[in-house]
Amino acid sequence: MKFVDLNALHQSIESELQSAIDTVIRTSSFIRGTHVEQFEKNYASLYTSKHCISCANGTDALFIALKALGAGLGDEVITTAHSWISTSETITLTGADVRFCDTEEDYFCIDPNKIEPLITSRTRGIIVVHLYGQTVDMDRIMALAQAHGLWVIEDCAQSHLATYKGRLVGTIGDVGTFSFYPGKNLGAMGDAGALITSRDDVADYSTLFARHGGKNNHVMEGINSRMDGLQAAILNVKLNHLEKWTEQRRLCANRYDALLHDVANITTPKVRADSKHVYHLYVIRTKQRDALRAFLKENGIPSIINYPRPLPLYSAYSRFRYTPDDFPVASQHAREILSLPMHPLLRDEEQQEVVEAIESFHNDHPLSMR
Ligand SMILES: *Cc1c(COP(=O)(O)O)cnc(C)c1O
């Protein structure tokens, strides 16, 4: 069994992919070009967003957005303690200081109740992460941002097509950033990323900054962050299937929910009211996480810990001298979370096999024996 079966997904649309790749070769449109322009149009229209600016990967999308919003030396940016490190390392890269915020018990996302005490006269913005395909409590975030004059970046690397109160995430804050890393819900065959925004100033700056500060006249210094034509052509094909694949992920999640319903000592993912989860990852919680994971591995079932520690507790942030008590919820989650196999073509039998293994683990390891 595979954790994510990209090959099966690609086999299912092989001829479409092949002809898209052939076109790129025949037209030599390798860097930017018509496929990239078409992708930017397609993605902006999918999100009914005024602008889509493509770039090399999801980390760059965050960095470009931060630069476009003016983050730099002397500024502070608040973000979640529970994410992939791109979210916080890009803040530091701009010269700004990262301020970590603990997460919500039920949804793994930044806890709006814990943001206000972190706001100082130097705070400029907040990066929220719609983690695992779940949504952040955006009403509360936007109210805080408005009250304190802050901008908001939504890191949507794991949440393509997720909705909050009927709105696609990525369109609620100032900027939405996306990764098209192969394993993401919309994945290329290499690295790719993009940001969407309705703000002309952010779009203009981002376009310049990502392309060496302009072509004929370099009006400023920038970086080189481009989407390849090949990746864009592949993404244009896969974009046509994204809604169906997202629906299939939801069906898989519903099946796991039902199968795990009566299994003791397992907490299944909760979904925020009025939100649509897109299950980039299906993450359960259990007190016996490490033993369960080892047992699953022995039985040929892959699982992943996303992520083994809260961000502030990695060595990269040892300068802050944080302890797990500074982020009690994220720290507790880091000890208990386990991501089960999840992809659009995951079969019913495979899911039953996963859940049967979890059940037999519990029969062998009753919690009272620990
Ligand atoms: C994958 C991911 C990124 C980074 O995307 P890349 O394309 O790998 O640079 C950023 N944030 C989150 C939450 C991610 O999961």
Side-chain angles (χ1 to χ4, degrees), residues 34 53 62 86 151 155 165 258 273 276 283 304 318 341:
T34 53
I53 292 115
L62 284 162
S86 304
W151 41 254
D155 181 345
K165 300 193 176 171
K276 279 198 157 187
V283 181
I304 300 183
S318 58

Side-chain angles (χ1 to χ4, degrees), residues 291-307:
L292 172 62
R293 183 164 193 239
F295 182 89
L296 291 177
K297 192 173 176 214
E298 277 165 33
N299 288 276
I301 293 167
S303 64
I304 300 183
I305 300 169
N306 304 92
Y307 299 94

